[in-house]
Amino acid sequence: MHPVNVEDEIAALESFQDAPSTPAAESLAESLATRLASVSPAEPAGRREVAVRGLLAACSQLYRTGQVQRSLELRRASARLVEGIDPALRVQALLRCGEFELLSQDVGAALEHISAAMDTARASQRTVDEAQAWVSYGMALDAAGLFPQADAHWRHALRLIQGRAEPRLRGNIWALRVPIGFRLQAGREGAAIEACRQSLASALDAPVRFRDSMACTALCNWAGLDLQRGRVAQARERLDVAASYPNLGVRPRWLIEVLRAMAAVRERNDADTRAALQSLLEPERVPAIAYAVETYGILAAMFADMGDAVHAGEALDRLSRERSRALWAMLRGPGPAGAAAGPGAEGGAAQETTDLLLRLAVTAELRDDATGKHCFRVGRMAMLLARRAGLPEEELAGLDLAARLHDIGKLVIPDAILLKPGALDATETHLMRSHSVIGADIITASALPMVDAARAIARHHHERWDGAGYPDGLAGEAIPVAARVAALADVYDALTHERPYKRAWSHDEAVAYIAQARGTQFDPRLADLFLAMMAEARADLDAFVRDIESAAAGSPYVVAQSRIARALEEAPP
């Protein structure tokens, strides 16, 4: 690579981004990407800085033309080169990689990158970069279904940039704060409209290269809100203005088309309008899976507002399937670290698979448990109970890991179902219960080393000793023993921790429940062993909790989540 020539090419590519995309810009982006992706983390910092800058410019250009997966690969390549480079460039590379991980629903990987970016920004006292990190972290929480928690981080980011001329960042924050879909709670429409106004005003003050796409996003958000509430004429007016901006990429143009099709459904809701909308949501038409997921969420909320429960349920079902598609893409595609083939590659691939599944397991739990520690507690308790039950010692470590993945299928369950405070209807119950089968399928597709135990636990941890459970109605010892063990640990931990829809039970209340369900919900022998273990733990519950949470301390995703949560608590009001 010739630094002077490459830097000139990078500068040229960066200048192209102020205007609509051209074949020349696309060709230059691909050429730079091909050459720079081979730069090694072992090369000098100056060489890596040039490579990171060029990769980020190429990413932006390729993303504008709809090459989302290629952009993600290059962002991951840039993130591997950031050690010891200029802090500003390091932060940008890590944040962009983290944000793009969200497009494939890999929230765990995003948390790692965003946490590292925040550490760098705070250490180098780069306030605007820190604000961007808070924004990205909020996006990760929102992707996990935690909109209220995400909004707290976005509000903090706005406080950090108060008084600064940062219209682009401010506009992006306000756009994220628009609670479309099931995130729109009763009585909050006024706040949602104000967020739309603020994001549009900031967009119109932004630099030219960002103005069109930002204004388009603001107007599309507003139009989506209008459609959800039945204001079709106002939505169409906003979409006409959005479409008039000349410098728009593939994603905003697709979004305008989708919202126009939704307007037609809101007006007529017949087979033809629904089919026209569905054609835009087919995999080959959607720029990224995350956009399809978000669109189905808005569509389900719109149908619910229309009183059309049937099509609202169908939209939630499609949302679930799109999330599943994102998982299959991750499990069947290249690993997050892009591991090369060679000696030990098979072992490295197995570890990458395990790491990916653990990231997904933590992500699946974030909506129920914002600390991400539930799966680790269940794994450790299941292992301790299995030891008491006499399972072979050589199987216990594998069972611990397998039990952590018990609820991985919840990743595909829509937030509107998983976080619903009231009773689920028949469609919602069916979708909710599908998480056990989907979880088993995810694990089977992954070729996990301890796949048999993990698959059995994921599929059967909601079976009951009396046969009244799901998904297969197994009874007694027909239920795999690993699933019977994990079920006790899962129920105890769920009962003793607060969830969005319930208070935390005391240790004694949870133990009493398990004793009462002995022989109906739970294997009576295992229940007796579990109750004996809990009686011993009662002498020093704090020590017991520290023990069962010990494995979480080694999870980079849980550590990142905890570190950022503490930073928000310590931040000045």
Side-chain angles (χ1 to χ4, degrees), residues 2 20 174 318 335 521 543:
H2 303 289
W174 279 109
R318 287 300 298 258
Q521 184 173 353

Side-chain angles (χ1 to χ4, degrees), residues 1-2 6 32-55 76-82 85:
M1 160 171 111
H2 303 289
V6 168
L32 278 170
T34 301
R35 285 175 284 157
L36 298 177
S38 63
V39 173
S40 164
E43 296 193 40
R47 186 176 175 88
R48 285 185 284 112
E49 286 185 1
V50 172
V52 169
R53 185 179 155 212
L55 287 168
R76 286 173 174 163
S78 72
R80 293 195 292 270
L81 304 176
V82 300
I85 69 172

Side-chain angles (χ1 to χ4, degrees), residues 175-188:
L176 290 166
R177 295 191 67 197
V178 179
I180 300 177
F182 286 104
R183 293 175 297 190
L184 180 62
Q185 301 299 314
R188 298 291 296 163

Side-chain angles (χ1 to χ4, degrees), residues 124-149:
S124 56
Q125 298 183 322
R126 304 184 66 84
T127 303
V128 174
D129 287 342
E130 182 186 346
Q132 288 181 319
W134 284 112
V135 171
S136 298
Y137 185 64
M139 291 168 63
L141 292 177
D142 188 36
L146 301 170
F147 181 78
Q149 294 91 325

